[in-house]
Every structure is written in C-alpha cells, then in structure tokens.
Amino acid sequence: MNTLEADKNQGAESLLLVKRAGLELAWEMFPQEIVAAIASARQIAQGVPKPAGPNEEPWPPMQVQGTP
Amino acid sequence: MTGPATFDNASASDAKSEDAFSVARTKALIEQIRKLDRQLNVFVHLDEAGALESARIVEAEIDRGKRRGPLHGVPVAIKDIIDVAGMPTTCQSAILRDNIPSSDAEVVRRLRDAGAIILGKVATHEFAMGFPSFDLPFPPARNPWNPEHHPGGSSSGSAAGVASGMFPMALGTDTGGSIRNPSAACGIVGLKPTYGLVSRRGLFPLAQSLDHVGPMARTVKDVAALLQVIAGHDPLDPGSAIGDDQAYDRYLGNGVRSLRIGFVRNFHVDDYVCDPEVGRALDAAAGLFAELGATVEPINLPPLSDFANTHNVILYAEAWAVHADWIRKFPQKYGRSTRRRMFTGAFLSAGDYVSAQHARRHLIASVEQALTKYDVLLCANSLDPAAKIDDEAEVSRTYPRQARTPFNLTGHPAMSIMSGLSSAGLPLSLQLVGRYFDEARLLGVAAAFEAATPWHDRRPPLHLRS
C-alpha cells in the first residue's frame, strides 16, 4: 500500500469513528484535533497493563451484600 | 491581629472570637482583594454582599457570646465547579456562564453551618481539566510567587488566593491531582482525602470515580480544621463512605518517632528524571524524617506510566460520558485544551474502559501492599517548578510530569506540602500518602515536617501584607 492509499484508509477509518461518536460537526470544525484525539486514545489504551487472565475482575469489586 | 490580611502569622483555626472577620474587616479585605486580583485573576465571582451579610451574622453571634467553632468568622473561597446558592457555577466555561444554582453543595452547607464567610468563587481550568487557557471567558489565575508563571491547576484560584493571603482556606477538587498541583506550585498545603470521605454532591463532575473534594490552606492545622468541617457521610452522594467521625487534628504535634515511612523512589528517579532541585528537596525531606525519629526506607511502586495510562483512560471515558451531548452540539464553545481531551474520550471503547478498571484493581493492590508495611509514603509531587504560563510548550511538557494521579486511581489520601524554594524563587513540594481514612496520621506527619522546616512562613512577593 502506498502512502496515498494509507492516508485514504486512515481517513476512512477516522470518519467511521467520528460517525460512531456522533462528532460530525466537530470533524468539520476541528479535523486535526479529532485526528490527534484518535491517536491519543489508541496510545493511552495500549499503555494500560493487561489483566493476567480471563477470570480477573475489574474494580470495583462486585458486591453481593453490604450495598446500601 | 492588625489589618485585613487573613491570619498572616498563624493558623486561622487558632483564631479567637475577637479575630473573626467583622463587617469592617471583611469590607477592608474585599477592597484589598480587588486591588491584588488585578494581577492574579483569582476570583471569578467575589460576593461582596453575601460576605458582608455573613460577617454581620458572625458579628451578632459573637456579640451574644456564641462561638460555632474554629471556622466561625473565617473567610473561605470555593472553586468554581462547586455550587454555592445564588452565585454562578461557571466551571470557567462559556457553556455555563449563566448557570446559577439554587442550592449549596453539601460541603458549602457544612461550611455555612460552621460559620465560615463564603467570599466567592475562584478560578479553575475549564471543567477542572486541561491547562491554563487564554481562550475562556475568564483569564487564568496567576502565581503569586511570580505572576509570569502558572499557579498549577485545576484548583488554581484556590491556591493562588491562599498563597497571596486573600483568604486563609479554600475548597478545591482533585480528579488527577488538581488540589495537589496548585498547592505545590503556590507553596501551600493541600489534601486530597480518601475517596468517599467528603461529599461530592453539588460538584460539577469531571470523572465520578476519580473526583474528590478537599481542603487547601497555608498550614497543616488549617487543613485539618477545614477537613473536620467538610468530612462525613452524605446519604445523597452515592460514593459517600459510611464511617465514624474522628478528630483529624489528634496527631498534630505528635511527631513521627517510631513511624515507618516508605520513600517511593522510582517515580522521580527511574520513571521520570525530576528537576535536580526537586530531587534534592525530596532527599532532604527523607533525611529530615529519619532525623525526627521515623524509619525511612526506599521502595518502588509500579511505573508511573501504568498509573497514568490507566487513569487517563478512566478519566477521559467518564468525562466524555458527562460532556458527549454538549460537545456533539457545540464543540466550539469549549476551550481548545479541554476540547482536545474531551475528544479523546470519544474514541475509547467500552473494552478499553473495563481493561483500565482491571488494571486499577492491581494498582490499588500494589499501593495497599506498601501501606501494610509503612504508615505513610513519601514521594514526588510535581517534578518541576511551575513553568511560565504563556510558554505553551513548556506547560505541556511539565504538566504531565507528576506523581499525583496514582492516588486518584487508588483513592488513598494524599497531600502536598512545600519542601523548598527553587533558585528562581518558585515553590518546591513533596507528597505524603496515607492509608484509607487515616487522614489524621497523614496530617500528623505533615505537621511534623512543617514544624521542622521554615517553608510555611515564607510569603510570595504578591501578598496582601507585602
């Protein structure tokens, strides 16, 4: 894939994400900020330590009693 | 006591009835604040009429011999994301410029009951997020140690106002360090309490599972006194903890002898390389605690990047949930710095959020494990002195260089205290972290440091008494 095609694909992917988020107006007004935000979201999500296995539970613990 | 400056040489909570702010003193204070605030931009709304009315009530009560407690007649300022009935809660944003709540936040109600004089609403970053910005309806607060530098944030007005003597105490909020960052930059004391200890009802949310309301003041004793008033269960805040009342000043003056302090080194040595003056001040503090009789041992926690990425995913996702409707309809009404962060939340998935909550559980366990061995942790706070406020690149570089977000994620109480002055005359700071609901011990350790160092007596060049 050449650079032009890669840019096109990236643009199409960005547009898909923008539509899913309902940010079409923001995309028109601030396209560079949106592109940066997509990259930033990807980067911080990738930096989160991964759970050790599928049985791990998230925080907060799922309470079965003591909840008001 | 002379003049209107706010308890310049003592803790406000030590004040006697005759020191309470009378109508005349409050009037004089407001006049002085107006003059100084031309340089510092602390106030979004200075409530002269309300403050004078409160002072009238205080005066009448004291004339009748009534004393409500240590905050009776003490001026307090409120960060402008916390509701005060009849005053604007703008969150420093064009979107909420005309938002005037009809009721007090629970913390404000408690302050009024304690007889505090609510002076007004003070500056924040927009919606308590991002950086100091110049594209908002109000100018950003400035640092009284040098107004060319930022005062930290997002509780920027609270810290700048306390440091400059406009008021002795203020309320701030802390979702990613927003009490401790400005406390560090302005050289005051700020406490992020245990998650759930202080009600968040009436606070405009940033990220509910990370949001904390807490006290900011010039002395540890005043922070304890303010915490005493605002802490406690609120049945109308779903995140509020149920627990017994306690005296938060009970260890003040007890020193640190026989306490065990874990000195977290990886944050400022391995994960980031801190400014050398910050590092020297931290080492000096560790040495001082040892001299005072504590056992101080170096420890490591997981890398800051693990905490920061996990924190950011949760913060941005939760903030997006709060703001999605508005930002879809009118993104241009947000300041650039806030808007860019809000957009990030839009592109995180549900899976990203749950994964971050998995990681959070592990990170909490790592801090809990350290606190089974140690009574308190000592660690870095800001890794650099405050940058120049209009140097966007330097502000962007230095703002994330901090060790505060770990304790928003874990919910442990954490506080900022001044640890020195840089060669440029800007405050340096350290952070102390305690066990859940063990604020009294944490404050005791901070008070021992304060008593053994000269920093809390230093005043910035821009001060009501200068």
Side-chain angles (χ1 to χ4, degrees), chain B residues 394-415:
Chain B
E394 189 61 2
V395 172
S396 298
R397 186 187 75 82
T398 53
Y399 243 62
R401 284 170 43 84
Q402 46 87 7
R404 292 178 283 266
T405 49
F407 311 108
N408 292 89
L409 206 54
T410 69
H412 290 95
M415 62 189 297

Side-chain angles (χ1 to χ4, degrees), chain B residues 94-264:
Chain B
I95 295 165
L96 292 179
R97 200 169 184 160
D98 302 318
N99 173 44
I100 299 184
S102 56
S103 57
D104 286 334
E106 172 62 11
V107 282
V108 173
R109 186 194 67 75
R110 288 173 184 242
L111 280 172
R112 288 196 198 280
D113 278 359
I117 296 172
I118 309 296
L119 279 180
K121 306 295 290 293
V122 288
T124 168
H125 299 342
E126 188 180 26
F127 292 111
M129 202 182 212
F131 297 156
S133 303
F134 293 88
D135 59 351
L136 302 177
F138 310 97
R142 302 264 175 171
N143 194 321
W145 291 87
N146 183 339
E148 289 186 4
H149 289 249
H150 71 71
S154 62
S155 307
S156 46
S158 304
V162 168
S164 63
M166 290 181 178
F167 36 84
M169 301 178 181
L171 291 185
T173 66
D174 194 317
T175 305
S178 288
I179 286 174
R180 291 159 288 157
N181 174 7
S183 297
C186 293
I188 65 161
V189 186
L191 168 68
K192 180 202 80 65
T194 306
Y195 185 78
L197 181 65
V198 176
S199 172
R200 302 160 307 159
R201 181 159 55 95
L203 158 75
F204 194 95
L206 173 51
Q208 278 105 334
S209 83
L210 302 164
D211 286 342
H212 302 68
V213 179
M216 301 166 76
R218 221 191 51 241
T219 66
V220 174
K221 188 167 188 184
D222 279 356
V223 163
L226 184 48
L227 181 65
Q228 195 68 52
V229 168
I230 62 174
H233 180 59
D234 174 8
L236 298 179
D237 172 357
S240 179
I242 298 170
D244 296 330
D245 290 342
Q246 50 173 308
Y248 293 104
D249 62 355
R250 67 184 185 276
Y251 295 131
L252 303 186
N254 279 18
V256 294
R257 191 165 294 283
S258 82
L259 292 184
R260 296 178 68 84
I261 297 177
F263 181 21
V264 184

Side-chain angles (χ1 to χ4, degrees), chain B residues 151-375:
Chain B
S154 62
S155 307
S156 46
S158 304
V162 168
S164 63
M166 290 181 178
F167 36 84
M169 301 178 181
L171 291 185
T173 66
D174 194 317
T175 305
S178 288
I179 286 174
R180 291 159 288 157
N181 174 7
S183 297
C186 293
I188 65 161
V189 186
L191 168 68
K192 180 202 80 65
T194 306
Y195 185 78
L197 181 65
V198 176
S199 172
R200 302 160 307 159
R201 181 159 55 95
L203 158 75
F204 194 95
L206 173 51
Q208 278 105 334
S209 83
L210 302 164
D211 286 342
H212 302 68
V213 179
M216 301 166 76
R218 221 191 51 241
T219 66
V220 174
K221 188 167 188 184
D222 279 356
V223 163
L226 184 48
L227 181 65
Q228 195 68 52
V229 168
I230 62 174
H233 180 59
D234 174 8
L236 298 179
D237 172 357
S240 179
I242 298 170
D244 296 330
D245 290 342
Q246 50 173 308
Y248 293 104
D249 62 355
R250 67 184 185 276
Y251 295 131
L252 303 186
N254 279 18
V256 294
R257 191 165 294 283
S258 82
L259 292 184
R260 296 178 68 84
I261 297 177
F263 181 21
V264 184
R265 306 245 329 144
N266 61 299
F267 288 171
H268 68 284
V269 173
D270 304 323
D271 304 339
Y272 288 116
V273 177
C274 69
D275 175 275
E277 290 182 311
V278 171
R280 279 197 292 276
L282 270 170
D283 288 339
L288 178 63
F289 281 125
E291 274 175 36
L292 294 173
T295 301
V296 181
E297 294 177 345
I299 64 163
N300 284 334
L301 287 175
L304 272 177
S305 57
D306 283 4
F307 285 105
N309 287 317
T310 304
H311 172 270
N312 285 340
V313 167
I314 294 168
L315 185 148
Y316 291 147
E318 292 185 7
W320 169 249
V322 172
H323 287 268
D325 284 350
W326 288 350
I327 209 154
R328 284 176 182 137
K329 283 184 204 151
F330 36 75
Q332 75 283 6
K333 289 192 180 177
Y334 287 81
R336 186 167 55 104
S337 161
T338 316
R339 187 175 60 231
R340 293 166 87 157
R341 284 167 179 76
M342 293 295 179
F343 284 158
T344 301
F347 301 111
L348 292 163
S349 69
D352 293 333
Y353 182 75
V354 175
S355 291
Q357 296 289 28
H358 276 282
R360 184 179 201 173
R361 194 177 173 85
H362 282 277
L363 294 167
I364 289 171
S366 68
V367 177
E368 276 290 87
Q369 194 182 7
L371 284 166
T372 56
K373 186 170 179 192
Y374 299 101
D375 299 287

